[in-house]
Amino acid sequence: MYSVTVRDHIMIAHSFDGDVFGPAQRLHGATYVVDVELRRPDLDADGIVVDIGRAREVLGRVLADLNYRNLDDLPALAGRNTTTEVLARFVFDALVAAIRRGDLGPGAVAVEHIRVTLHESPVASGAYEGRVSGAS
Amino acid sequence: MYSVTVRDHIMIAHSFDGDVFGPAQRLHGATYVVDVELRRPDLDADGIVVDIGRAREVLGRVLADLNYRNLDDLPALAGRNTTTEVLARFVFDALVAAIRRGDLGPGAVAVEHIRVTLHESPVASGAYEGRVSGAS
Amino acid sequence: MYSVTVRDHIMIAHSFDGDVFGPAQRLHGATYVVDVELRRPDLDADGIVVDIGRAREVLGRVLADLNYRNLDDLPALAGRNTTTEVLARFVFDALVAAIRRGDLGPGAVAVEHIRVTLHESPVASGAYEGRVSGAS
Amino acid sequence: MYSVTVRDHIMIAHSFDGDVFGPAQRLHGATYVVDVELRRPDLDADGIVVDIGRAREVLGRVLADLNYRNLDDLPALAGRNTTTEVLARFVFDALVAAIRRGDLGPGAVAVEHIRVTLHESPVASGAYEGRVSGAS
Amino acid sequence: MYSVTVRDHIMIAHSFDGDVFGPAQRLHGATYVVDVELRRPDLDADGIVVDIGRAREVLGRVLADLNYRNLDDLPALAGRNTTTEVLARFVFDALVAAIRRGDLGPGAVAVEHIRVTLHESPVASGAYEGRVSGAS
Amino acid sequence: MYSVTVRDHIMIAHSFDGDVFGPAQRLHGATYVVDVELRRPDLDADGIVVDIGRAREVLGRVLADLNYRNLDDLPALAGRNTTTEVLARFVFDALVAAIRRGDLGPGAVAVEHIRVTLHESPVASGAYEGRVSGAS
């Protein structure tokens, strides 16, 4: 199995609802360093999984909707806690949609599996991974 | 599949028994940076795998038994080489026991898989991972 | 010249006032990884600059006033942009005050110079450094 | 499942053939930081997956054929784009051959799975992983 | 003294002339991770050293002349070994020129000192630093 | 001012004497990641501060006396706490002696200043720096 991983980051504000979150129930924020791993069993004729430059552009566009925002105000995320895990799934779903639209090129349909990891601090991260066909 | 990863570290002394270890047969030591990844297929009602703060506390208690110790003197590890791999398994088993005791909260029973990685230097690490039900 | 450096981090929300900040004028947030370097020309009788454990405790208390907060609401920072540079100076001033109160132990009066660096993302950081006597 | 990971790096020149590569069609270069993870279900009698020191030596010998080279000139890689993914597979195949020759010791036949990751920059990496028996 | 540091990277090919370089006399390459620290004694009215976004743009333009190139072919670097140290000085001089042209904004004339560090591998880096007025 | 920095690491055991050290009075250990920065005002005819390869060899030899050792048993360090700061000075002195013996080549006499940093964990490091002529 081959894979490529690209990295970007966002700086956001948000708050959480629920006693389990303790002081994180207050409005605070995070720099999320986002790693996206794209996997497929074989390479294309150029010898790549997908074009890394194009993958970075697509990831950048997905993250642009979140960057420099208070996530508590975003309709797309309304009614849920925007935890690291929930955001990882949000990015995963957006990337699957981008692949289906062809934004990553025609060869990207061969991508079988995506893992999205958000590093929120030097001591904690969250991730979501699943098959591109939609199953977890 | 969702996951969260938390990080802590310990500073220990130990020695190894066996020609394969060369100079590491002498009493020496290590800073182990410990990453614990907890995986489950769905999030709880708060939108999390487990509470990251609570996961860090539980990991801290598990590591407190090893930290600032000469592992050659610990009864719990007697009779074996405390290699990076063996320590990763030791932490894994202690975390599974902690989940069963409820230390990570009632929702942590949904955690299916744990990976424990110990980074011993910038160029080497060891890990153990397995299902929480006990199989490797 | 000897030095020790300790690290901690905070997760905050804030917004900036001024066209130069572009999208960062909106409410957003950051994980700041904070490094504090303490310098003195000679070691004490124990062979240390200051006790690293105590330095981490003092830094933790200084940062607790900022952590999980919207900095726009903090009276201590009212009326200024809480840029990375401004926050580095804020932490510097708080550490100098802590040393003068004796929080870092009597030997910490020998600390001559402090550098505070805040890493806001993988591609940007800000810092303030100066002599403990107050001059920059 | 147990694993150990060892790290080394190489500094190479190369160029790519294909419009998808844009400016990387020109002769350029990279520092590749190479991580090799070796996995097996049980530890040997010494409590290890393989000897980490020996694993680093074997990896060093594999990489020596590439290090400080223009990969466009290497017969072993002629006729293909030496992308990060292709190089990861090249290192994987060389490690499997080394294990079969016994270079990693007789116990290394128990290694079931290898993952080779090449980090080409702070924002991109490529990998190949598969079973040692040869399947992907 | 205040400072901000911004980071970018380039991927280049080159070779060195001189026995001291051993195998690096051959055509090879590197990923250089470039850190630029800009220092000034006081902040501007917005509370910043310079606009970090603008600093990253200026650094990006300076590095664009080197990125994805064989440095042996660049007239601007002809006749010298493009060692890490030499490239750090090259970037320093280009940044000083950019500040003088006003590319970093009018406030950047207050920048007194710049340090440029190029990380060539996990175990080696080179740097040049000096006053903006031109002295080292 | 130009500089190069090289990195290596050691794995040692030791204990500390003094109430200030708390649990670190017990026999424990550390992986120290060691950075050595060598500074000089001008480059040599080859365009370098010193040969990075040679600098890494010299650092490796200095560290070999400490690596895989219980520092409590080393005569060269007897009677003192082998704190991070003390070890940084020990490495500094050994490097100055190596330069004087010519181990770093004849051009290394132009090195004016050395900084030695030992990272003991992700949250703490210690350093010593001074002029090569011996003064701090």
Side-chain angles (χ1 to χ4, degrees), chain A residues 9 23 28 35 39-40 57 64 66 69 76 86-87 90 94 107-108 111 114 118 123-124 135-136:
Chain A
H9 66 273
H28 65 289
D35 285 323
R39 299 164 67 92
R40 56 185 280 190
E57 287 169 17
L66 307 175
R69 295 284 177 189
V86 165
L87 293 172
F90 179 85
V111 172
I114 297 177
L118 275 73
V123 297
S136 64

Coordinates of all heavy atoms in Angstrom, one line a residue, chain A residues 9 23 28 35 39-40 57 64 66 69 76 86-87 90 94 107-108 111 114 118 123-124 135-136:
Chain A
H9 N -2.2 24.1 8.4 CA -2.6 24.4 9.7 C -3.7 25.5 9.7 O -3.7 26.3 8.7 CB -1.4 24.8 10.6 CG -0.7 26.0 10.2 ND1 0.3 26.1 9.3 CD2 -0.9 27.3 10.6 CE1 0.7 27.3 9.2 NE2 0.0 28.1 9.9
P23 N -12.5 23.6 31.9 CA -12.3 25.0 31.5 C -12.4 25.2 30.0 O -12.5 26.4 29.5 CB -10.8 25.2 31.9 CG -10.2 23.9 32.1 CD -11.3 23.0 32.5
H28 N -12.2 29.7 23.9 CA -10.7 29.6 23.8 C -10.4 29.4 22.3 O -11.1 29.8 21.5 CB -10.2 28.5 24.8 CG -10.6 27.1 24.4 ND1 -11.9 26.6 24.5 CD2 -9.8 26.1 23.9 CE1 -11.9 25.4 24.1 NE2 -10.7 25.0 23.7
D35 N -2.7 16.9 9.3 CA -2.0 16.0 8.4 C -3.1 15.1 7.7 O -4.0 14.6 8.4 CB -1.1 15.0 9.2 CG 0.2 15.7 9.7 OD1 0.7 16.5 8.9 OD2 0.6 15.4 10.8
R39 N -4.2 7.0 0.7 CA -3.7 5.7 0.5 C -4.3 5.1 -0.8 O -5.5 5.2 -1.0 CB -3.9 4.8 1.7 CG -3.3 5.3 2.9 CD -3.9 4.6 4.2 NE -3.5 3.2 4.2 CZ -2.5 2.7 4.9 NH1 -1.7 3.5 5.5 NH2 -2.3 1.4 4.8
R40 N -3.5 4.4 -1.5 CA -4.0 3.6 -2.6 C -3.0 2.4 -2.9 O -1.8 2.5 -2.6 CB -4.2 4.4 -3.9 CG -2.9 5.1 -4.4 CD -3.2 6.0 -5.6 NE -3.3 5.3 -6.8 CZ -3.3 5.8 -8.0 NH1 -3.3 7.1 -8.2 NH2 -3.4 5.0 -9.1
E57 N -3.2 22.1 -2.3 CA -4.1 23.1 -2.7 C -5.5 22.8 -2.2 O -6.3 23.6 -1.7 CB -4.1 23.3 -4.2 CG -2.9 24.1 -4.8 CD -2.8 24.0 -6.3 OE1 -3.9 23.6 -6.9 OE2 -1.7 24.2 -6.8
A64 N -9.7 26.7 4.5 CA -9.9 28.1 4.4 C -11.3 28.5 5.0 O -11.5 29.6 5.5 CB -9.9 28.6 2.9
L66 N -12.5 27.3 7.6 CA -12.4 27.2 9.1 C -11.4 28.3 9.6 O -11.5 28.7 10.8 CB -11.9 25.8 9.5 CG -12.7 24.6 9.0 CD1 -12.1 23.3 9.5 CD2 -14.2 24.7 9.5
R69 N -11.5 31.7 12.2 CA -12.9 31.8 12.5 C -13.2 31.4 13.9 O -12.4 30.6 14.5 CB -13.7 30.8 11.6 CG -13.7 31.1 10.1 CD -14.6 32.3 9.8 NE -14.5 32.6 8.3 CZ -15.1 33.6 7.8 NH1 -15.7 34.5 8.5 NH2 -14.9 33.9 6.5
A76 N -22.1 25.4 9.2 CA -21.8 24.0 8.8 C -21.5 23.1 10.0 O -21.5 21.9 9.9 CB -20.6 24.0 7.9
V86 N -14.2 15.6 15.9 CA -15.3 16.1 15.0 C -14.7 16.9 13.8 O -15.1 16.7 12.7 CB -16.3 16.9 15.8 CG1 -17.3 17.7 14.8 CG2 -17.1 16.0 16.7
L87 N -13.7 17.7 14.1 CA -13.1 18.5 13.0 C -12.4 17.5 12.0 O -12.3 17.8 10.8 CB -12.2 19.5 13.5 CG -12.9 20.7 14.3 CD1 -11.8 21.6 15.0 CD2 -13.8 21.5 13.4
F90 N -14.9 16.2 9.8 CA -15.3 17.3 8.9 C -14.4 17.4 7.7 O -14.8 17.5 6.5 CB -15.5 18.6 9.7 CG -15.9 19.8 8.8 CD1 -17.3 20.0 8.6 CD2 -15.0 20.6 8.3 CE1 -17.7 21.1 7.9 CE2 -15.4 21.7 7.5 CZ -16.7 22.0 7.3
A94 N -15.0 16.5 3.7 CA -14.8 17.5 2.6 C -13.8 17.0 1.6 O -13.9 17.3 0.4 CB -14.3 18.8 3.3
G107 N -7.1 10.6 -11.4 CA -6.4 9.5 -10.8 C -6.8 9.3 -9.3 O -6.6 8.2 -8.8
A108 N -7.3 10.4 -8.7 CA -7.5 10.3 -7.3 C -8.7 9.4 -6.9 O -8.9 9.0 -5.8 CB -7.8 11.7 -6.7
V111 N -7.8 6.5 -4.8 CA -7.5 6.6 -3.4 C -8.6 5.8 -2.6 O -9.7 6.1 -2.8 CB -7.5 8.1 -2.9 CG1 -7.4 8.2 -1.4 CG2 -6.3 8.8 -3.6
I114 N -8.4 7.4 3.6 CA -7.8 8.7 4.0 C -7.8 8.7 5.6 O -8.7 8.3 6.2 CB -8.7 9.9 3.5 CG1 -8.7 9.9 2.0 CG2 -8.2 11.2 4.1 CD1 -9.7 11.0 1.4
L118 N -5.5 15.9 13.4 CA -5.3 17.3 13.9 C -4.5 17.3 15.2 O -5.0 16.8 16.2 CB -6.7 17.9 14.1 CG -7.4 18.5 12.9 CD1 -7.9 17.4 11.9 CD2 -8.5 19.5 13.3
V123 N 1.0 17.8 23.2 CA 0.7 16.5 23.9 C -0.7 15.9 23.6 O -1.1 15.0 24.2 CB 0.7 16.8 25.4 CG1 2.1 17.2 25.9 CG2 -0.3 17.9 25.8
A124 N -1.4 16.4 22.5 CA -2.7 15.8 22.2 C -3.0 16.0 20.7 O -2.7 17.1 20.1 CB -3.8 16.5 23.0
A135 N -17.4 4.2 4.2 CA -17.4 3.4 5.5 C -16.3 3.9 6.4 O -15.3 4.5 6.0 CB -17.3 1.9 5.2
S136 N -16.5 3.6 7.7 CA -15.4 4.0 8.6 C -14.6 2.7 8.9 O -13.8 2.7 9.8 CB -16.0 4.5 10.0 OG -16.7 3.4 10.6

